[in-house]
Amino acid sequence: MTLLTVALLAAAWWFWKWHRTRTRTGAGASAAARARQLRTPLVRLADAVGIDTRAGRQARNWKAGAVGEERAAARLEPLVRQGWTLRYDRALPPGEGPANVDALAISPNGGVFVLDPKLWTSRYPVTVRVGRVWHGDQDVSDRVTSARDEAAAVARALGVPVAAIVAVEGAPLVGPHGRPASELVFRNVRIVPADVLPAVLREAARIPGQRRAADLVAAADRALPPYTRR
């Protein structure tokens, strides 16, 4: 059997396995699905022999995103026992763009929060300077403001104010003068370390919302169905 034949058979097997992967829902579902889409048989083969490809790098980024969302969900789980409602990977209403909401949290007293977990390498800090958000020397402002746009879309759907919070895991937050920061703010989006996200939510939820939590949960389930791509 030639090397080419072996490679083709391996690629076919990977395609069969990838194609049969069941769609899952919940935290990180669509990010994981996008990673699977990008890891075509040829990309998997290239990875196996050590060849770096653009699709392979993108797949790793999407996979990291899924891991970040899963870790955030694990951190938030205790809130459920305290009466919070958590929804993950939800589609925005038609006409609000193709983006999904990674996580939606509704407090027992009707506070609503859009959460955007980020898993970024600890080698570089997250800073806000010259009117932009940076992870090291990479401008990540759009990744932060997307949470604000998603919160605005959810607010329109539910008819109540919605706060946007980006939770960063891995990368430290650094404020002015290079000092460690417990929180950054950029264009009305709070940026906090992932490990304090539950505490941040509890504190923010001390202010009552404008509608009953049960009504908001029902409205959110109608307006924001699960969003999952194969």
Side-chain angles (χ1 to χ4, degrees), residues 57-70:
R57 291 192 298 273
Q58 290 177 333
R60 289 190 290 273
N61 289 338
W62 280 103
K63 180 61 177 177
V67 171
E69 293 174 36
E70 291 166 357

Side-chain angles (χ1 to χ4, degrees), residues 161-172:
V162 177
I165 302 177
V166 170
V168 178
E169 181 149 1

Side-chain angles (χ1 to χ4, degrees), residues 172-190:
L173 306 187
V174 174
H177 312 297
R179 297 172 183 170
S182 60
E183 178 176 327
L184 301 172
V185 179
F186 180 71
R187 297 182 183 175
N188 296 323
V189 179
R190 299 177 68 182

Side-chain angles (χ1 to χ4, degrees), residues 90 92-93 96 99-104 114-116 118 143-156 162-164 224:
R90 313 300 282 197
L92 290 174
E96 293 287 1
N100 64 306
V101 173
D102 290 337
L104 181 72
V114 161
L115 313 177
D116 190 357
K118 303 292 186 186
R143 302 185 192 181
V144 172
T145 54
S146 64
R148 179 200 61 189
D149 297 339
E150 292 161 13
V154 174
R156 287 189 290 271
V162 177
L224 310 169

